[in-house]
Amino acid sequence: SLRTFNRSTFHLARMKFFGAHVSASGGVWNAPANARAIGATALALFTKNQRQWHAAPLHAAQIAAFREACALAGYGPAQILPHDSYLINLGHPDDEGLAKSRAAFQDEMARCEALGLDRLNFHPGSHVGQGVEEGCRQIAAMLDQVVGSELKTTVLLETMAGKGSEIGGRFEELRRILDLAACGDRLGVCLDTCHVSDGGYDIVNGLDGVLEEFDRVVGLSRLKAVHINDSMNPPGSRKDRHALIG
């Protein structure tokens, strides 16, 4: 029942970690201290410049510095959510663009593995005219090429606003990728409140119903992280324009 669902959800929420995306300027090892300075029990970060294709590889001393900083600040892998580059599109229709995105995503995964992180959040991609079904198939195929059984990092598909040819604006699209990917058991979901609102889900007046729909289509067991953002737009605008909470 809805009453039982709400009680269960509240009980789970009491055990979760809460924080913010923090700066890793000067090196990823600075991020944990930046999160601790604001009293966060969790943090999100970019492990490299999110608007550049390439970054220098992490060296042993840098990896050790990050792990030590996490230990000093009291953050374990379950409290840290890295986000990949905004440039990556695993649904790219062009072979060259797709290869570039796949290589960049492999690098993001490698950085997470080296830093001892156990999840990586990413925007699924855009079909760029191929159609949603073909885009979902291509994204699933690319994930199968990157997410190997030897890796510890779980990949989180982020809910999207659905602007343009973006995939992930509907829960069914994420479910389709999960079903198509052979590595589906290594995939989870990050729910972004701005994105789902802009995508047409009324979380202001009907949050319980939206969560029940998510559970029915995707499954709450897949929900590994939540981005809590406000939106500058009314529900269903499909514009993806974030605002500060409140």
Side-chain angles (χ1 to χ4, degrees):
S1 70
L2 182 60
R3 185 175 299 172
T4 302
F5 176 83
N6 286 343
R7 283 202 303 266
S8 299
T9 304
F10 177 71
H11 177 68
L12 287 171
R14 292 169 62 192
M15 300 187 294
K16 301 306 179 187
F17 304 110
F18 188 81
H21 193 113
V22 296
S23 172
S25 178
V28 290
W29 49 88
N30 291 320
N34 290 335
R36 182 54 63 198
I38 61 172
T41 58
L43 67 139
L45 78 161
F46 295 112
T47 66
K48 58 180 280 295
N49 188 316
Q50 75 276 19
R51 299 192 183 278
Q52 293 182 3
W53 283 106
H54 303 290
L58 292 167
H59 299 298
Q62 297 170 322
I63 294 168
F66 176 79
R67 294 190 178 212
E68 181 179 1
C70 288
L72 288 172
Y75 296 118
Q79 296 163 272
I80 304 171
L81 182 65
H83 196 300
D84 77 336
S85 169
Y86 292 138
L87 301 177
I88 294 171
N89 179 14
L90 297 185
H92 205 296
D94 176 71
D95 289 344
E96 182 177 351
L98 185 61
K100 196 173 184 179
S101 290
R102 182 175 62 247
F105 192 72
Q106 286 175 322
D107 179 64
E108 297 275 5
M109 290 286 286
R111 296 172 83 85
C112 288
E113 291 282 313
L115 293 171
L117 303 177
D118 67 0
R119 65 201 69 193
L120 172 64
N121 186 55
F122 90 114
H123 295 174
S126 300
H127 62 75
V128 198
Q130 299 180 96
V132 172
E133 177 64 17
E134 183 57 31
C136 289
R137 288 184 180 279
Q138 186 159 290
I139 292 168
M142 291 300 98
L143 288 171
D144 282 338
Q145 291 185 26
V146 175
V147 183
S149 59
E150 76 283 359
L151 301 180
K152 298 177 181 178
T153 304
T154 296
V155 174
L156 306 189
L157 308 170
E158 186 173 335
T159 58
M160 302 306 296
K163 68 180 186 296
S165 64
E166 192 174 66
I167 292 175
R170 307 303 300 172
F171 297 154
E172 288 80 4
E173 295 171 10
L174 298 181
R175 178 76 255 179
R176 186 61 175 149
I177 296 172
L178 294 171
D179 288 342
L180 288 168
C183 66
D185 61 339
R186 307 293 305 282
L187 306 178
V189 173
C190 172
L191 189 150
D192 185 298
T193 57
C194 170
H195 291 170
V196 296
S197 177
D198 282 15
Y201 295 96
D202 189 358
I203 61 173
V204 175
N205 301 302
L207 176 61
D208 290 333
V210 173
L211 290 176
E212 287 187 319
E213 183 175 353
F214 180 92
D215 191 28
R216 176 178 57 81
V217 177
V218 177
L220 280 173
S221 63
R222 294 277 192 175
L223 184 60
K224 304 300 182 183
V226 179
H227 281 174
I228 304 175
N229 302 289
D230 216 327
S231 174
M232 297 174 66
N233 310 295
S237 64
R238 301 181 69 171
K239 292 183 177 179
D240 188 5
R241 298 178 67 200
H242 289 215
L244 295 178
I245 297 173

